[in-house]
């Protein structure tokens, strides 16, 4: 794992010399600090830690300031400095030479020269997990007690407890909703809950920085002599970077686990943990065997916080950024026909098993030659496959979005299957479609003899067509390709331009 500053995200700007604070005055949503030179406007939250007499070094390029380094004068304690700024990636906990755990946080675009924050385990533990060791008489309530639930509570139980806390807050019987929301967001994340349970047993166990960093923070501690590392004693304030997102997610892309489900989308860079009370479909881990046959999508609306992980590729470390949905601000919308779609997918999976050998013969035939609908149906009949079997599933890949197939199929006059492709005969063009994520839609001019075109297409490859190897693109009258992308509307609009037809938006669009 690289050090926190390996990416070079720290781009020092221009910082002011140290200025003595003479007074503090509220100024709308900010606080105005009177200094020896000029007034400095500071956001209200980090300003509450400032006092007259402190020496402040700030980012001179913004107002309100985005960063400060303060020396607290006249205080008889070891932590005599404060730092406020934006952090990025936070490493996993690791032990130092004295076997004490710590994490390092990247500092983003520092003007005062700080590159990393060194956060000891107890600073992370005390701020996020509220586990400061104390006499039993003054013991802080556990996160389970804050939610008024048990350590054995299931993810659905946790959400129910949080919903009750919200209702009581609305009726003024539960004033501390913030504490309940923080407790729920930690316990509803499996990794963070495991970390917290370990801390309950051993306060010195490694404490994860929740959701991987990326946000604003205020810390107290000391700046190292080289001026690059700030050694934190206490984490005083942290606000993660967050934004609201809304999109539709296919049920086939969800991993169904014991007690919770996980949706991860590498294109959207989104991660969502789902409990059974949010997705009341009665799922279990056996769904993973046949989920790829489900065409239904659910609506996801949530507040996402930024996170990230380093990946080692091509002998270098690269930061891959993701966004994780906050469980407390997550809602799902399940379409009315979801149960019917699930039942059909389960039945299709069972039929695939029932006619496995016959389907294997069909697929072997498709590897050798293309077949149109009538030829394929006749072959299925001779092999004993029922006439109502969906032949499109013979070359369907689990990650393929059926929207693209539906839009092409409803325009087609005939469909050929060959290997893992559909070849659609449309009124004005011929379209080749691979039912798999990452493949584009290939469009060709209308052929005089469609069968001759299909046979010639079957003897070449997409790479040959793109590069016009042996002049094959000209022979097949290749027009161009349309990338699927993440937005079906964009694909549909470009397809319309290519084939000269209006797009029907009546079907759901990703």
């Amino acid at each position: 794992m690289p050090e926190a500053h390996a990416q070079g995200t720290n781009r020092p700007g221009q910082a002011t010399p140290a200025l003595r604070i003479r007074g503090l005055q509220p100024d709308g949503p900010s606080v105005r600090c009177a200094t020896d030179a000029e007034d400095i406007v500071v956001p209200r939250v980090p300003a509450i830690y400032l006092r007259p007499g402190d020496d402040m070094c700030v980012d001179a390029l913004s107002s309100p300031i985005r960063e400060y380094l303060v020396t607290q004068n006249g205080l008889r304690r070891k932590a005599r400095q404060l730092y406020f700024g934006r952090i990025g990636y936070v490493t996993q906990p690791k032990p130092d030479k004295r076997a004490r755990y710590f994490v390092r946080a990247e500092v983003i675009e520092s003007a005062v020269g700080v590159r990393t924050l060194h956060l000891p385990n107890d600073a992370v533990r005390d701020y996020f997990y509220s586990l400061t060791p104390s006499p039993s008489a003054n013991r802080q309530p556990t996160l389970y007690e804050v939610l008024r639930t048990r350590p054995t509570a299931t993810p659905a139980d946790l959400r129910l407890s949080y919903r009750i806390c919200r209702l009581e807050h609305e009726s003024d019987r539960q004033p501390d909703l913030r504490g309940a929301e923080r407790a729920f967001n930690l316990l509803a994340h499996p990794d963070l809950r495991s970390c917290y349970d370990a801390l309950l047993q051993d306060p010195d166990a490694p404490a994860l920085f929740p959701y991987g960093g990326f946000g604003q923070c205020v810390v107290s501690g000391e700046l190292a002599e080289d001026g690059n590392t700030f050694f934190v004693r206490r984490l005083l304030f942290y606000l993660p970077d967050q934004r609201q997102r809304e999109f539709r997610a296919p049920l086939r892309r969800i991993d169904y686990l014991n007690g919770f489900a996980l949706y991860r989308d590498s294109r959207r860079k989104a991660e969502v943990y789902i409990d059974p009370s949010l997705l009341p479909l009665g799922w279990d881990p056996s769904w993973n065997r046949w989920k790829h046959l489900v065409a239904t999508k659910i609506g996801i609306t949530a507040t996402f916080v930024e996170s990230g992980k380093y990946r080692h590729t091509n002998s270098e470390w690269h930061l891959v950024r993701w966004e994780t949905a906050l469980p407390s601000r997550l809602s799902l919308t399940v379409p009315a026909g979801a149960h019917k779609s699930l039942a059909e997918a389960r039945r299709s999976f069972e039929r695939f098993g029932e006619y496995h050998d016959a389907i294997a013969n069909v697929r072997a035939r498709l590897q050798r030659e293309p077949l149109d609908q009538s030829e394929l149906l006749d072959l299925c009949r001779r092999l004993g496959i029922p006439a109502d079997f969906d032949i499109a599933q013979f070359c369907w890949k689990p990650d393929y979005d059926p929207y693209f197939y539906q839009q092409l199929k409803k325009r087609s006059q005939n469909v050929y299957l060959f290997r893992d492709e559909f070849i659609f005969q449309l009124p004005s063009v011929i379209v080749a479609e691979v039912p798999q994520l990452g493949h584009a839609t290939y469009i060709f001019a209308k052929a005089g003899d469609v069968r001759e075109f299909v046979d010639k297409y079957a003897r070449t490859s997409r790479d040959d067509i793109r590069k016009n190897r042996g002049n094959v693109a000209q022979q097949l009258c290749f027009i161009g390709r349309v990338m699927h992308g993440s937005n079906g509307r964009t694909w549909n609009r470009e397809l319309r331009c290519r084939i000269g037809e209006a797009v029907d938006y009546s079907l759901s669009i990703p």
Side-chain angles (χ1 to χ4, degrees):
M1 182 63 64
E3 291 297 326
H5 58 270
Q7 277 296 99
T9 56
N10 189 74
R11 294 180 295 178
Q14 181 180 2
T16 64
L19 302 172
R20 180 65 54 87
I21 298 177
R22 297 303 181 186
L24 298 155
Q25 183 69 33
D27 186 3
S30 306
V31 172
R32 186 171 296 276
C33 300
T35 70
D36 294 331
E38 59 184 32
D39 290 355
I40 299 172
V41 179
V42 182
R44 187 174 291 273
V45 171
I48 65 176
Y49 301 102
L50 303 178
R51 299 290 182 271
D54 293 346
D55 290 330
M56 172 188 285
C57 183
V58 302
D59 173 11
L61 303 179
S62 62
S63 180
I65 62 168
R66 297 173 298 180
E67 181 186 33
Y68 68 56
L69 179 64
V70 169
T71 300
Q72 298 175 300
N73 295 312
L75 297 180
R76 296 182 180 179
R77 55 186 177 185
K78 293 182 179 180
R80 299 188 63 234
Q81 288 182 301
L82 296 173
Y83 176 75
F84 160 65
R86 290 195 67 246
I87 62 172
Y89 172 76
V90 180
T91 64
Q92 296 290 304
K94 58 182 179 180
D96 59 16
K97 295 180 180 179
R98 295 176 294 176
R100 297 178 180 176
Y101 286 97
F102 71 96
V103 297
R104 284 185 178 271
E106 293 179 346
V107 174
I108 300 176
E109 299 181 0
S110 173
V112 300
V114 178
R115 296 175 66 86
T116 61
L117 303 184
H118 181 284
L119 293 112
N121 200 63
D122 56 355
V124 177
R125 176 199 65 200
D126 295 348
Y127 183 82
F128 291 108
Y129 301 97
S130 303
L131 280 175
T132 306
S134 60
S136 57
N138 300 322
R139 183 182 67 84
Q140 293 179 303
T142 68
L143 299 183
Y144 294 105
E145 291 170 344
V146 170
L147 284 177
R148 285 176 290 179
T149 189
R150 306 177 308 278
T152 57
T154 65
D157 294 336
L158 293 174
R159 183 168 293 277
L160 176 60
S161 298
Y162 175 64
R163 285 173 174 169
I164 293 174
C165 289
R166 289 183 58 183
L167 290 173
E168 292 182 347
H169 173 74
E170 292 172 0
S171 61
D172 295 330
R173 287 185 294 170
Q174 174 71 16
D176 187 17
L177 185 60
R178 265 190 184 176
E181 184 174 15
R182 172 180 286 192
F184 178 61
N185 284 333
L186 290 172
L187 297 178
H189 190 293
D191 294 341
L192 298 178
R193 182 175 182 177
S194 296
C195 170
Y196 180 69
D197 289 342
L199 287 168
L200 286 177
Q201 301 298 321
D202 178 9
D204 294 324
L208 295 174
F209 197 100
Y211 297 96
F214 295 92
Q216 292 181 322
C217 69
V218 181
V219 294
S220 64
E222 299 89 25
L223 186 65
E225 292 183 0
D226 62 7
N228 291 329
T229 302
F230 191 93
F231 288 92
V232 177
R233 290 185 177 271
R234 287 186 62 200
L235 178 56
L236 302 174
F237 168 79
Y238 171 71
L239 179 66
D241 293 339
Q242 51 189 284
R243 65 166 175 151
Q244 192 76 6
R245 297 182 66 180
E246 183 175 353
F247 53 84
R248 300 176 69 238
L251 288 174
R252 68 181 182 276
R253 297 291 300 275
I254 297 175
D255 290 327
Y256 302 95
L257 309 170
N258 285 317
F260 70 96
L262 175 61
Y263 170 77
R264 298 190 89 241
D265 190 328
S266 59
R267 290 187 299 170
R268 288 191 173 99
K269 301 300 182 185
E271 179 181 72
V272 182
Y273 286 89
I274 304 170
D275 59 74
S277 64
L278 273 180
L279 190 62
L281 297 175
W283 47 264
D284 60 68
S286 68
W287 283 29
N288 294 312
R289 296 198 302 266
W290 48 266
K291 66 180 183 180
H292 60 280
L293 299 172
V294 181
T296 301
K297 296 182 179 182
I298 59 172
I300 295 180
T301 303
T303 298
F304 284 78
V305 294
E306 190 169 354
S307 60
K309 291 183 179 179
Y310 272 96
R311 303 294 186 193
H312 194 258
T313 55
N314 300 325
S315 302
E316 293 183 355
W317 288 98
H318 298 276
L319 180 62
V320 180
R321 295 194 176 189
W322 281 74
E323 290 185 322
T324 304
L326 288 175
S328 65
R329 304 184 186 183
L330 169 65
S331 63
L332 304 183
T333 304
V334 182
H339 286 88
K340 180 180 178 181
S341 177
L342 290 165
E344 291 174 350
R346 191 196 301 263
R347 177 58 181 154
S348 295
F349 179 75
E350 293 171 353
R351 298 180 81 191
F352 266 101
E354 183 178 356
Y355 300 101
H356 176 273
D357 293 341
I359 293 172
N361 288 333
V362 173
R363 286 172 170 164
R365 177 80 174 271
L366 291 174
Q367 289 296 316
R368 300 191 302 269
E369 61 175 311
L371 300 175
D372 67 8
Q373 286 181 345
S374 59
E375 293 169 331
L376 194 54
L377 289 173
D378 183 61
L379 176 61
C380 290
R381 180 183 55 78
R382 286 187 278 110
L383 292 172
I385 300 175
D388 63 344
F389 205 100
D390 186 4
I391 59 177
Q393 296 291 339
F394 289 161
C395 57
W396 204 280
K397 299 299 179 182
D399 54 5
Y400 182 61
D401 191 332
Y403 171 79
F404 303 106
Y405 173 82
Q406 293 165 353
Q407 289 291 308
L408 293 169
K409 179 66 170 64
K410 72 178 184 179
R411 292 175 166 83
S412 66
Q413 299 172 328
N414 197 4
V415 181
Y416 292 80
L417 272 71
F418 175 65
R419 293 179 182 163
D420 294 327
E421 294 189 51
F422 298 116
I423 303 173
F424 296 93
Q425 179 186 347
L426 274 61
S428 58
V429 296
I430 296 176
V431 175
E433 176 80 357
V434 177
Q436 186 175 3
L437 181 69
H439 287 270
T441 302
Y442 279 52
I443 303 175
F444 304 85
K446 184 177 181 180
D449 188 329
V450 177
R451 186 71 206 197
E452 181 182 348
F453 169 88
V454 171
D455 291 338
K456 185 179 296 185
Y457 178 85
R459 294 193 298 269
T460 187
S461 68
R462 288 193 159 199
D463 186 64
D464 291 339
I465 294 172
R466 286 196 305 273
K467 297 177 180 177
N468 196 27
R469 190 175 287 117
N471 215 26
V472 67
Q474 183 172 350
Q475 295 172 16
L476 292 174
C477 298
F478 178 56
I479 296 176
R481 56 180 182 160
V482 182
M483 305 303 295
H484 285 171
S486 59
N487 189 336
R489 188 183 296 273
T490 302
W491 171 86
N492 209 332
R493 188 163 48 243
E494 187 171 349
L495 179 70
R496 179 192 61 192
C497 295
R498 298 283 189 177
I499 67 177
E501 293 183 5
V503 177
D504 181 2
Y505 289 103
S506 61
L507 294 177
S508 60
I509 296 177

